[in-house]
Amino acid sequence: MLARCSVNLQGLVHLRSCGPMTAAQARLWLQKWRWYERNSLPWNRARIHWEFARREAFVRWPVHGNVLEALRERRLDIGAGTLLEPNVWITAPGDARVRIGEGTFLNLNVMVASVELVEIGSHCMFANGCFVTDGNHRFDDQTKPVTWQGFTTKGPTRIGDNVWCGANVVITSGVTIGERSVIGANSVVTIDIPPGSIAAGAPARVLKPIAWATALDGATSTR
């Protein structure tokens, strides 16, 4: 039998005097372990890779969230050529949806959290640690712990094609980022960003429009 323990304010572990872990507690722990670690179960890991292969996309291990369920229920759409680097987390509970276009790159520790709908376009790049969501944690009910209050949303969060987000960018609920925009590292996007913009800051503001290169820039002669 496993002994139960508690941690005091100094971080020291003490065995409780109330005795060993019960069978009910062990079953509850096992149930939670199977849920939280379900992606690591060998058969689920193989199924996730299979679902990505069918879509001509690729995921590097580990991947977190309810990816398998959302793929099978067609609430998670992933386009061909998209790559998820290790520790990407995609969560879409209930009827929530996530759509990711073709050729998009989600680097290490990127998280996409949907309450209703998050859309990411094709050929986007997200650097390490970005967070994209259409939700907000509730905190206004004094009768419940914050962790039990659920979420609200200001509407879908949409990111256009060819958007590049630097490291640790946060994109919040109801925001639209226009195509071919660049968001600077550590920015918090709380308002819409028009297409072809460079934006940065917390909260993010448009700094300037992108100066488009001409068709001849960097071109090689065809003669």
Side-chain angles (χ1 to χ4, degrees), residues 34-55:
R34 287 179 62 86
W35 173 252
Y36 291 127
E37 300 294 336
R38 61 195 183 282
N39 289 350
S40 298
L41 298 173
W43 48 91
N44 284 343
R45 181 170 177 173
R47 289 166 180 163
I48 290 171
H49 282 300
W50 171 255
E51 293 291 342
F52 271 80
R54 290 177 57 224
R55 293 162 174 80

mmCIF file of all heavy atoms in Angstrom, residues 34-55:
data_model
loop_
_atom_site.group_PDB
_atom_site.id
_atom_site.type_symbol
_atom_site.label_atom_id
_atom_site.label_comp_id
_atom_site.label_asym_id
_atom_site.label_seq_id
_atom_site.Cartn_x
_atom_site.Cartn_y
_atom_site.Cartn_z
ATOM 1 N N ARG A 34 -4.497 8.173 -16.408
ATOM 2 C CA ARG A 34 -4.861 7.743 -17.765
ATOM 3 C C ARG A 34 -5.406 8.912 -18.586
ATOM 4 O O ARG A 34 -5.218 8.964 -19.798
ATOM 5 C CB ARG A 34 -5.884 6.608 -17.711
ATOM 6 C CG ARG A 34 -5.306 5.275 -17.273
ATOM 7 C CD ARG A 34 -6.393 4.213 -17.211
ATOM 8 N NE ARG A 34 -6.997 3.994 -18.537
ATOM 9 C CZ ARG A 34 -6.502 3.149 -19.447
ATOM 10 N NH1 ARG A 34 -5.415 2.457 -19.188
ATOM 11 N NH2 ARG A 34 -7.105 2.997 -20.603
ATOM 12 N N TRP A 35 -6.088 9.866 -17.923
ATOM 13 C CA TRP A 35 -6.612 11.018 -18.648
ATOM 14 C C TRP A 35 -5.509 12.010 -18.980
ATOM 15 O O TRP A 35 -5.329 12.406 -20.132
ATOM 16 C CB TRP A 35 -7.698 11.699 -17.825
ATOM 17 C CG TRP A 35 -8.172 12.995 -18.431
ATOM 18 C CD1 TRP A 35 -7.922 14.254 -17.987
ATOM 19 C CD2 TRP A 35 -8.971 13.140 -19.617
ATOM 20 N NE1 TRP A 35 -8.506 15.172 -18.802
ATOM 21 C CE2 TRP A 35 -9.154 14.527 -19.813
ATOM 22 C CE3 TRP A 35 -9.533 12.239 -20.521
ATOM 23 C CZ2 TRP A 35 -9.887 15.032 -20.888
ATOM 24 C CZ3 TRP A 35 -10.268 12.743 -21.589
ATOM 25 C CH2 TRP A 35 -10.440 14.125 -21.760
ATOM 26 N N TYR A 36 -4.728 12.395 -17.975
ATOM 27 C CA TYR A 36 -3.703 13.415 -18.195
ATOM 28 C C TYR A 36 -2.565 12.918 -19.073
ATOM 29 O O TYR A 36 -1.944 13.699 -19.803
ATOM 30 C CB TYR A 36 -3.148 13.917 -16.859
ATOM 31 C CG TYR A 36 -4.139 14.728 -16.057
ATOM 32 C CD1 TYR A 36 -4.419 14.397 -14.737
ATOM 33 C CD2 TYR A 36 -4.797 15.809 -16.624
ATOM 34 C CE1 TYR A 36 -5.330 15.130 -13.994
ATOM 35 C CE2 TYR A 36 -5.714 16.547 -15.889
ATOM 36 C CZ TYR A 36 -5.973 16.203 -14.581
ATOM 37 O OH TYR A 36 -6.880 16.929 -13.854
ATOM 38 N N GLU A 37 -2.261 11.638 -19.026
ATOM 39 C CA GLU A 37 -1.143 11.082 -19.780
ATOM 40 C C GLU A 37 -1.617 10.260 -20.987
ATOM 41 O O GLU A 37 -0.848 9.482 -21.537
ATOM 42 C CB GLU A 37 -0.298 10.185 -18.859
ATOM 43 C CG GLU A 37 0.291 10.900 -17.663
ATOM 44 C CD GLU A 37 1.323 11.948 -18.065
ATOM 45 O OE1 GLU A 37 1.908 11.816 -19.160
ATOM 46 O OE2 GLU A 37 1.540 12.893 -17.281
ATOM 47 N N ARG A 38 -2.856 10.471 -21.422
ATOM 48 C CA ARG A 38 -3.412 9.606 -22.460
ATOM 49 C C ARG A 38 -2.640 9.670 -23.770
ATOM 50 O O ARG A 38 -2.541 8.669 -24.484
ATOM 51 C CB ARG A 38 -4.885 9.951 -22.715
ATOM 52 C CG ARG A 38 -5.148 11.366 -23.205
ATOM 53 C CD ARG A 38 -6.624 11.698 -23.073
ATOM 54 N NE ARG A 38 -6.988 13.017 -23.579
ATOM 55 C CZ ARG A 38 -6.787 14.159 -22.939
ATOM 56 N NH1 ARG A 38 -6.189 14.127 -21.755
ATOM 57 N NH2 ARG A 38 -7.163 15.312 -23.445
ATOM 58 N N ASN A 39 -2.058 10.826 -24.103
ATOM 59 C CA ASN A 39 -1.311 10.906 -25.359
ATOM 60 C C ASN A 39 -0.063 10.037 -25.336
ATOM 61 O O ASN A 39 0.446 9.647 -26.392
ATOM 62 C CB ASN A 39 -0.911 12.352 -25.657
ATOM 63 C CG ASN A 39 -2.089 13.211 -26.052
ATOM 64 O OD1 ASN A 39 -3.183 12.710 -26.284
ATOM 65 N ND2 ASN A 39 -1.874 14.513 -26.126
ATOM 66 N N SER A 40 0.446 9.737 -24.150
ATOM 67 C CA SER A 40 1.667 8.942 -24.039
ATOM 68 C C SER A 40 1.406 7.442 -24.086
ATOM 69 O O SER A 40 2.361 6.666 -24.214
ATOM 70 C CB SER A 40 2.399 9.282 -22.733
ATOM 71 O OG SER A 40 2.790 10.644 -22.717
ATOM 72 N N LEU A 41 0.148 7.030 -23.974
ATOM 73 C CA LEU A 41 -0.158 5.604 -24.097
ATOM 74 C C LEU A 41 0.225 5.147 -25.505
ATOM 75 O O LEU A 41 -0.095 5.817 -26.486
ATOM 76 C CB LEU A 41 -1.640 5.359 -23.833
ATOM 77 C CG LEU A 41 -2.122 5.737 -22.429
ATOM 78 C CD1 LEU A 41 -3.637 5.616 -22.336
ATOM 79 C CD2 LEU A 41 -1.438 4.879 -21.379
ATOM 80 N N PRO A 42 0.927 4.022 -25.637
ATOM 81 C CA PRO A 42 1.487 3.635 -26.948
ATOM 82 C C PRO A 42 0.467 3.600 -28.065
ATOM 83 O O PRO A 42 0.741 4.052 -29.184
ATOM 84 C CB PRO A 42 2.080 2.248 -26.668
ATOM 85 C CG PRO A 42 2.353 2.237 -25.201
ATOM 86 C CD PRO A 42 1.289 3.072 -24.570
ATOM 87 N N TRP A 43 -0.736 3.080 -27.793
ATOM 88 C CA TRP A 43 -1.732 2.987 -28.855
ATOM 89 C C TRP A 43 -2.264 4.361 -29.253
ATOM 90 O O TRP A 43 -2.515 4.597 -30.438
ATOM 91 C CB TRP A 43 -2.867 2.060 -28.426
ATOM 92 C CG TRP A 43 -3.421 2.316 -27.069
ATOM 93 C CD1 TRP A 43 -4.458 3.120 -26.723
ATOM 94 C CD2 TRP A 43 -2.931 1.750 -25.841
ATOM 95 N NE1 TRP A 43 -4.667 3.099 -25.371
ATOM 96 C CE2 TRP A 43 -3.754 2.267 -24.792
ATOM 97 C CE3 TRP A 43 -1.898 0.865 -25.514
ATOM 98 C CZ2 TRP A 43 -3.556 1.929 -23.454
ATOM 99 C CZ3 TRP A 43 -1.708 0.530 -24.176
ATOM 100 C CH2 TRP A 43 -2.533 1.057 -23.171
ATOM 101 N N ASN A 44 -2.391 5.272 -28.286
ATOM 102 C CA ASN A 44 -2.828 6.626 -28.630
ATOM 103 C C ASN A 44 -1.739 7.407 -29.358
ATOM 104 O O ASN A 44 -2.029 8.185 -30.273
ATOM 105 C CB ASN A 44 -3.260 7.383 -27.379
ATOM 106 C CG ASN A 44 -4.616 6.937 -26.882
ATOM 107 O OD1 ASN A 44 -5.378 6.301 -27.605
ATOM 108 N ND2 ASN A 44 -4.927 7.256 -25.638
ATOM 109 N N ARG A 45 -0.508 7.186 -28.951
ATOM 110 C CA ARG A 45 0.604 7.849 -29.650
ATOM 111 C C ARG A 45 0.634 7.424 -31.117
ATOM 112 O O ARG A 45 0.784 8.258 -32.014
ATOM 113 C CB ARG A 45 1.922 7.498 -28.965
ATOM 114 C CG ARG A 45 3.133 8.141 -29.596
ATOM 115 C CD ARG A 45 4.358 7.958 -28.736
ATOM 116 N NE ARG A 45 5.542 8.501 -29.365
ATOM 117 C CZ ARG A 45 6.727 8.603 -28.783
ATOM 118 N NH1 ARG A 45 6.867 8.191 -27.526
ATOM 119 N NH2 ARG A 45 7.752 9.115 -29.424
ATOM 120 N N ALA A 46 0.464 6.135 -31.369
ATOM 121 C CA ALA A 46 0.447 5.641 -32.750
ATOM 122 C C ALA A 46 -0.736 6.224 -33.519
ATOM 123 O O ALA A 46 -0.612 6.586 -34.699
ATOM 124 C CB ALA A 46 0.384 4.119 -32.756
ATOM 125 N N ARG A 47 -1.898 6.340 -32.861
ATOM 126 C CA ARG A 47 -3.084 6.896 -33.529
ATOM 127 C C ARG A 47 -2.894 8.359 -33.890
ATOM 128 O O ARG A 47 -3.342 8.814 -34.950
ATOM 129 C CB ARG A 47 -4.304 6.716 -32.619
ATOM 130 C CG ARG A 47 -4.772 5.270 -32.488
ATOM 131 C CD ARG A 47 -5.736 5.115 -31.333
ATOM 132 N NE ARG A 47 -6.199 3.734 -31.195
ATOM 133 C CZ ARG A 47 -6.775 3.246 -30.110
ATOM 134 N NH1 ARG A 47 -6.980 4.045 -29.064
ATOM 135 N NH2 ARG A 47 -7.152 1.983 -30.065
ATOM 136 N N ILE A 48 -2.249 9.120 -33.008
ATOM 137 C CA ILE A 48 -1.993 10.530 -33.299
ATOM 138 C C ILE A 48 -1.099 10.663 -34.525
ATOM 139 O O ILE A 48 -1.368 11.447 -35.445
ATOM 140 C CB ILE A 48 -1.376 11.234 -32.077
ATOM 141 C CG1 ILE A 48 -2.423 11.371 -30.964
ATOM 142 C CG2 ILE A 48 -0.830 12.611 -32.458
ATOM 143 C CD1 ILE A 48 -1.867 11.853 -29.649
ATOM 144 N N HIS A 49 -0.017 9.876 -34.572
ATOM 145 C CA HIS A 49 0.869 9.931 -35.742
ATOM 146 C C HIS A 49 0.117 9.521 -37.005
ATOM 147 O O HIS A 49 0.326 10.096 -38.084
ATOM 148 C CB HIS A 49 2.086 9.030 -35.518
ATOM 149 C CG HIS A 49 3.120 9.645 -34.617
ATOM 150 N ND1 HIS A 49 3.753 10.832 -34.906
ATOM 151 C CD2 HIS A 49 3.635 9.226 -33.419
ATOM 152 C CE1 HIS A 49 4.623 11.122 -33.949
ATOM 153 N NE2 HIS A 49 4.559 10.167 -33.032
ATOM 154 N N TRP A 50 -0.758 8.536 -36.885
ATOM 155 C CA TRP A 50 -1.547 8.094 -38.040
ATOM 156 C C TRP A 50 -2.449 9.217 -38.539
ATOM 157 O O TRP A 50 -2.535 9.456 -39.751
ATOM 158 C CB TRP A 50 -2.363 6.870 -37.663
ATOM 159 C CG TRP A 50 -3.366 6.455 -38.707
ATOM 160 C CD1 TRP A 50 -4.713 6.632 -38.673
ATOM 161 C CD2 TRP A 50 -3.088 5.790 -39.939
ATOM 162 N NE1 TRP A 50 -5.300 6.124 -39.804
ATOM 163 C CE2 TRP A 50 -4.324 5.597 -40.599
ATOM 164 C CE3 TRP A 50 -1.920 5.337 -40.548
ATOM 165 C CZ2 TRP A 50 -4.427 4.979 -41.836
ATOM 166 C CZ3 TRP A 50 -2.015 4.711 -41.790
ATOM 167 C CH2 TRP A 50 -3.242 4.539 -42.423
ATOM 168 N N GLU A 51 -3.119 9.914 -37.623
ATOM 169 C CA GLU A 51 -4.009 11.001 -38.013
ATOM 170 C C GLU A 51 -3.226 12.126 -38.692
ATOM 171 O O GLU A 51 -3.695 12.722 -39.669
ATOM 172 C CB GLU A 51 -4.764 11.532 -36.794
ATOM 173 C CG GLU A 51 -5.757 10.555 -36.181
ATOM 174 C CD GLU A 51 -6.959 10.294 -37.073
ATOM 175 O OE1 GLU A 51 -7.211 11.096 -37.996
ATOM 176 O OE2 GLU A 51 -7.658 9.286 -36.835
ATOM 177 N N PHE A 52 -2.037 12.432 -38.190
ATOM 178 C CA PHE A 52 -1.220 13.457 -38.832
ATOM 179 C C PHE A 52 -0.736 12.992 -40.206
ATOM 180 O O PHE A 52 -0.726 13.765 -41.169
ATOM 181 C CB PHE A 52 -0.031 13.821 -37.944
ATOM 182 C CG PHE A 52 -0.333 14.921 -36.970
ATOM 183 C CD1 PHE A 52 -1.024 14.659 -35.793
ATOM 184 C CD2 PHE A 52 0.069 16.218 -37.217
ATOM 185 C CE1 PHE A 52 -1.318 15.666 -34.891
ATOM 186 C CE2 PHE A 52 -0.211 17.236 -36.316
ATOM 187 C CZ PHE A 52 -0.910 16.965 -35.151
ATOM 188 N N ALA A 53 -0.326 11.740 -40.310
ATOM 189 C CA ALA A 53 0.148 11.221 -41.595
ATOM 190 C C ALA A 53 -0.941 11.283 -42.656
ATOM 191 O O ALA A 53 -0.669 11.597 -43.826
ATOM 192 C CB ALA A 53 0.645 9.783 -41.423
ATOM 193 N N ARG A 54 -2.184 10.983 -42.266
ATOM 194 C CA ARG A 54 -3.308 11.057 -43.205
ATOM 195 C C ARG A 54 -3.493 12.470 -43.747
ATOM 196 O O ARG A 54 -3.974 12.652 -44.870
ATOM 197 C CB ARG A 54 -4.601 10.610 -42.523
ATOM 198 C CG ARG A 54 -4.681 9.130 -42.197
ATOM 199 C CD ARG A 54 -5.975 8.814 -41.471
ATOM 200 N NE ARG A 54 -7.124 9.225 -42.279
ATOM 201 C CZ ARG A 54 -8.179 9.872 -41.789
ATOM 202 N NH1 ARG A 54 -8.214 10.218 -40.523
ATOM 203 N NH2 ARG A 54 -9.176 10.188 -42.572
ATOM 204 N N ARG A 55 -3.099 13.459 -42.964
ATOM 205 C CA ARG A 55 -3.252 14.859 -43.361
ATOM 206 C C ARG A 55 -1.976 15.430 -43.964
ATOM 207 O O ARG A 55 -1.899 16.630 -44.231
ATOM 208 C CB ARG A 55 -3.682 15.684 -42.144
ATOM 209 C CG ARG A 55 -5.084 15.323 -41.645
ATOM 210 C CD ARG A 55 -5.325 15.806 -40.228
ATOM 211 N NE ARG A 55 -6.706 15.600 -39.799
ATOM 212 C CZ ARG A 55 -7.191 14.446 -39.371
ATOM 213 N NH1 ARG A 55 -6.398 13.372 -39.292
ATOM 214 N NH2 ARG A 55 -8.455 14.339 -39.000
#
